[in-house]
Amino acid sequence: MFTKSDAVNYLDAKRTEIEDISHKIWEYAELSLKEHKSAALYVEALKKEGFQVETNLSNIETAFLGKAGSGRPYIGILGEFDALSGLSQKGCVPYKEALVRGAAGHGCGHNMLGAASFGAAVALKKYLEETGKQGTVIFYGCPGEEGGSSKTFMARDGVWKDLDCALTWHPGDANEVETGTCNSTIQTLYKFTGQSAHAAGDPEDGRSALDAVELLNVGVQFLREHVKTDARIHYAITNAGGISPNVVQDSADVLYMVRSCQVRDVIALQERVDKIAAGAAMMTETNVEKIVVDGSANTVPNHVLEKLFYDNMVDIPVPEYTDEEWELAKKIKSTYKNDYVPAIGAQEDPEIEAFVREKTNNMELALNNFVNPLYTGNHFMAGSTDVGDVSWLTPTAQINTVCYPSCAPGHSWQIVSSGISGIGDKGMLFAAKVMCATAIDIFEKPEILDEAKKEFEKRTKDGYLCPIPDGVPPYIIEE
């Protein structure tokens, strides 16, 4: 009889394949919705493993799925694989040095994220085949988490409604179960166009698009006094109109990201920013084009699935590290300050904070080689993720595993460097095993899924509100 333990051990046999995928995608380092090499690699690997593959999900070229098994339950395993701009970094070194100057890098560890999810799906396919159990595993290739929100477009198209539940994970500096919620977000590009003119000879004929961008930014600065405490408004000028100060700039673009916890609040806040943009165009006699780039909803926790994740996380041995891996982690850790306790719930629960401080020798430990306590309170993360949109349409849970040194800053060269190290590889395999074991429990114990669905229905009784309007297509931001 092929058991849960057999499936978990099967991942050790697939380790080289999983690591190869992770390392290749780390090398590709493709930006959001441009992950053509990465997507092709996964599609080829899924077909080789015997999955039924569908591509171009929700009209996104790099979105795909691989399906195996038959009948209910349908369990989705989420995978991501996009990189971040300007974070190119050599691997396995404790100092900052670009691999390719100005190029992208996996500063959020998505090379590992997708590879571990792929591994879990492969092991689950093996389990279903060996046991003959009814059930379907679907690996979803979800591009553009860092700027594209493919999961939100899929949510708008109803993709996630067919699932009985979804499982995912994220590389981190702690072995723990995620819970709580986060900010919803909308990302918008404002493109201003005006009239070029000689800034000294005939300035009266010029209509500055750059002035409009600056007036928008000033207006938003005053708006920040009048938003909710969980709200955030970020921006980046992506086109300043040129480098000649004696020419009135006839084009300028600014990219805005608006956040607030509830989708209805972020939509309302976005409307206020839109009004300021329209006002800036009016004041400068320029035109403004608004392009909705992406958006995502806040996450909906599911304590039933989280408890199941936790039980498997404590049952499966955490990774052990070599002396060389400990030394690398210590050197990387010396390049930044420790400014937080690495545990979900540490800010809310003094017992969790005390537990982690003791385990880490008051934050001195370079690698957190233990499992954090399960937290079931109200946790809030100021960042955003399109996993939230999945969680509004099906019971969803996620974990973090140690893939880089303790307290490493997010979206950093330190994470890129760790992404193809033994540290990252071991954390990735651990995540695959925990996801695989958790999914098998769901296949074998239907009552767990029944309870998870009851909790889901209670938490989502008000219904899903998509932050991306109908008819808006996916948008690729050009560097």
Side-chain angles (χ1 to χ4, degrees):
M1 179 67 178
F2 195 85
T3 65
K4 182 169 76 170
S5 295
D6 293 327
V8 169
N9 293 335
Y10 181 68
L11 281 162
D12 289 319
K14 304 294 287 185
R15 176 174 187 159
T16 299
E17 180 182 349
I18 296 167
E19 290 177 358
D20 284 348
I21 289 174
S22 174
H23 292 190
K24 284 179 181 178
I25 291 174
W26 184 93
E27 292 174 4
Y28 297 156
E30 297 170 294
L31 296 176
S32 293
L33 307 185
K34 301 177 184 179
E35 315 96 325
H36 295 286
K37 291 181 180 179
S38 301
L41 178 64
Y42 275 118
V43 168
E44 180 182 358
L46 286 165
K47 289 180 178 179
K48 182 179 177 182
E49 292 289 345
F51 284 78
Q52 298 175 358
V53 177
E54 297 177 26
T55 59
N56 201 37
L57 301 182
S58 293
N59 293 316
I60 300 173
E61 290 182 358
T62 52
F64 57 90
L65 66 79
K67 181 185 294 186
S70 63
R72 295 283 181 180
Y74 284 6
I75 298 180
I77 308 292
L78 311 182
E80 300 166 12
F81 40 91
D82 58 326
L84 288 154
S85 61
L87 278 179
S88 178
Q89 165 65 35
K90 290 184 176 179
C92 306
V93 297
Y95 51 84
K96 183 178 181 180
E97 184 175 342
L99 189 64
V100 179
R101 186 177 296 274
H106 275 284
C108 209
H110 290 179
N111 61 299
M112 297 176 281
L113 198 165
S117 294
F118 166 81
V122 168
L124 288 168
K125 178 178 180 292
K126 177 72 170 177
Y127 166 82
L128 291 171
E129 290 172 344
E130 293 290 336
T131 62
K133 280 190 173 293
Q134 181 171 295
T136 302
V137 57
I138 309 173
F139 171 76
Y140 288 92
C142 304
E145 194 276 336
E146 297 291 354
S149 296
S150 66
K151 300 185 197 71
T152 309
F153 285 97
M154 289 187 232
R156 192 183 65 181
D157 294 346
V159 169
W160 312 113
K161 287 183 179 180
D162 289 338
L163 294 179
D164 290 294
C165 69
L167 304 177
T168 189
W169 78 291
H170 202 286
D173 64 346
N175 298 308
E176 62 188 356
V177 178
E178 276 272 11
T179 193
T181 192
C182 65
N183 266 325
S184 301
T185 185
I186 296 174
Q187 193 168 200
T188 305
L189 179 65
Y190 298 101
K191 298 175 71 70
F192 290 90
T193 55
Q195 177 62 48
S196 180
H198 194 290
D202 59 338
E204 69 277 10
D205 293 328
R207 299 294 182 266
S208 175
L210 183 57
D211 285 354
V213 166
E214 292 193 292
L215 284 167
L216 167 56
N217 292 342
V218 170
V220 170
Q221 192 76 337
F222 284 99
L223 174 63
R224 286 189 173 94
E225 182 184 358
H226 307 286
V227 300
K228 291 187 173 183
T229 55
D230 62 26
R232 302 286 187 274
I233 308 175
H234 323 292
Y235 73 96
I237 298 175
T238 58
N239 168 28
I243 61 172
S244 298
N246 63 338
V247 177
V248 176
Q249 296 90 342
D250 63 354
S251 69
D253 307 334
V254 61
L255 182 63
Y256 264 82
M257 180 178 284
V258 175
R259 305 188 205 244
S260 196
C261 185
Q262 301 298 320
V263 173
R264 62 178 179 273
D265 293 333
V266 80
I267 290 174
L269 183 55
Q270 179 62 56
E271 290 173 352
R272 298 179 73 181
V273 176
D274 289 344
K275 290 177 181 177
I276 297 172
M282 186 181 297
M283 285 188 284
T284 54
E285 295 185 351
T286 59
N287 297 312
V288 61
E289 177 188 6
K290 172 190 171 182
I291 300 172
V292 178
V293 174
D294 62 29
S296 61
N298 59 300
T299 49
V300 179
N302 192 287
H303 292 334
V304 173
L305 294 181
E306 289 163 9
K307 177 62 165 60
L308 192 62
F309 252 148
Y310 178 76
D311 289 343
N312 281 290
M313 186 170 268
V314 296
D315 281 347
I316 297 170
V318 298
E320 296 181 0
Y321 304 104
T322 64
D323 292 341
E324 291 77 13
E325 288 162 353
W326 277 108
E327 187 63 23
L328 175 63
K330 290 175 184 176
K331 288 180 178 179
I332 292 177
K333 188 172 181 289
S334 70
T335 64
Y336 54 83
K337 294 181 179 179
N338 299 343
D339 57 359
Y340 69 95
V341 177
I344 300 292
Q347 291 183 324
E348 297 88 359
D349 188 333
E351 291 187 4
I352 291 179
E353 179 179 359
F355 173 89
V356 175
R357 286 192 179 278
E358 180 180 357
K359 284 284 189 178
T360 61
N361 190 22
N362 201 27
M363 315 296 289
E364 291 298 317
L365 197 65
L367 292 169
N368 298 322
N369 57 345
F370 56 90
V371 176
N372 284 344
L374 179 66
Y375 180 66
T376 57
N378 296 318
H379 176 72
F380 175 74
M381 179 186 73
S384 307
T385 172
D386 58 3
V387 173
D389 298 86
V390 182
S391 71
W392 277 95
L393 295 177
T394 190
T396 303
Q398 52 188 331
I399 58 171
N400 303 322
T401 66
V402 172
C403 294
Y404 45 81
S406 182
C407 297
H411 293 187
S412 66
W413 70 261
Q414 290 93 342
I415 293 177
V416 185
S417 180
S418 303
I420 55 170
S421 70
I423 299 165
D425 290 344
K426 289 176 178 178
M428 173 176 63
L429 189 66
F430 182 51
K433 290 180 176 182
V434 175
M435 285 190 292
C436 173
T438 300
I440 288 173
D441 283 342
I442 295 170
F443 283 135
E444 294 184 347
K445 303 172 184 176
E447 65 274 12
I448 294 176
L449 196 54
D450 291 340
E451 290 302 312
K453 287 182 176 181
K454 288 178 183 178
E455 180 181 353
F456 167 76
E457 290 167 1
K458 182 178 179 180
R459 291 184 182 275
T460 60
K461 57 181 172 48
D462 294 333
Y464 171 60
L465 178 60
C466 185
I468 300 177
D470 289 339
V472 171
Y475 184 82
I476 298 176
I477 299 174
E478 299 295 339
E479 284 193 294

